[in-house]
Structures are given as C-alpha cells and as structure tokens.
Amino acid sequence: AREAAAREAAAREAAAREAAAPGATGWRRLHAGLEQGGVPIPRQGLTNGTLRRVFPATGGREPWGRVEQHEGLPFVAGNVSWFGGPQDRVVTATETGALTGERLRPLNTPLRPDAATLRARAADYYYAAMRFDYGPAGKAFWAGARLLVVNPRTGQAVVLRCVDWGPNTRTARVLDASPQALTDLGVRTDDRVLVAFAAPGAPLGPVR
C-alpha cells in the first residue's frame, strides 16, 4: 500500500511539474498537485488528526472530497460554500480564523468592491477554509499555502490563501471560500469545485 501511495504521489508531482512548465497557460501554469512537502490537500479517506479532535465521531477519516482528473491533472472535487464578510452571521463580530488569527467578519468588506480595491486588498477578498491536518507541518504551513480552485464547468479559477479550519463535516462540503471567490468562480453554495495546491507565492485572485 505504501509503494502504491508513493507511486501515486510521484505521478501527481510529475503532472504538477509539467503543468507549471513555461508552455502552460491559464490555471494549468499554477497547478502544483495534491501534495506539497509531503503535506496533502484534505480529501476523502485520509486520516486527519485535527479532524479526529474536532469531530471524534469521524474517527479522523475525512468523509468528503474525491480525487478526480480534470484536463489531465489531479484535483480534489467537492461542494463549496462561503464564509466571512459583513453578511456572515454564523461567525461572531470578534471570531478569528484558526490559522491566521484575523477577524473574519471584516473580510470581504465592502461586499461588492471595485477593481482598484480588489487589486490593493487581494488578501481580504481571496481566502479559504478546509479541514486541514495540522499534524505534518503545523498551522504555519497552511497559513502560507496557496490553493487553486477551479470551476470545472467554465474553467474559471482563483488562487486563495488559507485562513480558517472547516467546514463542519455535516455540510458534506470540502471547501469554504470568500464571497468574492464564489462570485469570480461563477458558483453558488453547494456547487461543485476542484481544489489543488497552487504554486507557492502565486498571486491571490482570479487566474487570467
């Protein structure tokens, strides 16, 4: 089983290197696979020590997020919703992201920014949460990581930073993202998206 897992990881990394080659365009040039430094994107079947602590009934086994190929590259596929910003009444006015410690309600404000605001404050508008396993590399790894999220129907893509842990497993979702990210992707709550690592340091926001 370990040898098979190693072969799978090597194949993913090779695909990511090919996607990031100089000739790649659009989101393909930013796709960096499902693992970075041996740390995996959360997905169905993986054991997650953080998940075990937060939701003991899962036994630490991630229930959602299937690996799928899209245009020849691997992604974790699953449903999405939004969080943070002035209309999020699920979080309190002082609630902070588990990874970054910043308050979540003031993010994505104003709700409908102009282009200049998006350029100047991309970090406030392009963020995400997944059920990250802190064990392999700690919170700092995830706080510095970039996620590539793609709408498989249209090819629209965004790069997001990681700020929080979630969503609750009962939602059957793999990702929560900013309201602006959902707008740019052209998706709504419980629509299906694809998630992978983006290249380290990839610019936040829509992929042109």
Side-chain angles (χ1 to χ4, degrees):
R2 290 182 179 178
E3 291 180 1
R7 287 195 298 271
E8 180 186 357
R12 286 195 299 267
E13 291 177 4
R17 286 194 298 271
E18 179 182 352
T25 59
W27 59 258
R28 291 180 62 86
R29 75 184 190 280
L30 298 176
H31 185 285
L34 301 186
E35 292 187 9
Q36 277 187 0
V39 181
I41 292 281
R43 56 189 184 269
Q44 189 177 56
L46 291 187
T47 300
N48 181 331
T50 310
L51 179 65
R52 182 184 295 113
R53 291 194 298 273
V54 178
F55 298 120
T58 65
R61 300 281 286 184
E62 174 60 49
W64 311 109
R66 300 186 60 165
V67 176
E68 295 184 5
Q69 297 288 316
H70 181 70
E71 296 189 14
L73 293 172
F75 285 91
V76 174
N79 293 349
V80 67
S81 188
W82 64 274
F83 78 110
Q87 292 187 340
D88 189 344
R89 301 307 176 193
V90 175
V91 301
T92 68
T94 58
E95 190 170 341
T96 59
L99 296 176
T100 63
E102 64 200 289
R103 289 193 300 142
L104 299 173
R105 186 80 70 77
L107 294 174
N108 211 129
T109 304
L111 193 61
R112 295 174 180 82
D114 57 29
T117 299
L118 286 178
R119 286 193 300 270
R121 297 172 47 211
D124 290 341
Y125 283 91
Y126 297 100
Y127 56 84
M130 292 188 83
R131 290 182 290 274
F132 305 115
D133 186 354
Y134 298 155
K139 291 184 180 182
F141 168 84
W142 289 110
R146 294 286 187 267
L147 300 180
L148 174 66
V149 184
V150 178
N151 178 343
R153 295 183 295 106
T154 65
Q156 293 167 271
V158 294
V159 173
L160 308 177
R161 67 189 181 101
C162 308
V163 302
D164 201 11
W165 194 95
N168 193 303
T169 55
R170 69 170 178 264
T171 67
R173 299 170 186 142
V174 300
L175 178 77
D176 278 345
S178 65
Q180 187 65 42
L182 266 64
T183 296
D184 289 345
L185 288 168
V187 299
R188 298 180 179 180
T189 292
D190 286 331
D191 280 351
R192 182 171 163 275
V193 297
L194 306 173
V195 187
F197 279 113
L204 298 171
V207 179
R208 307 300 182 188

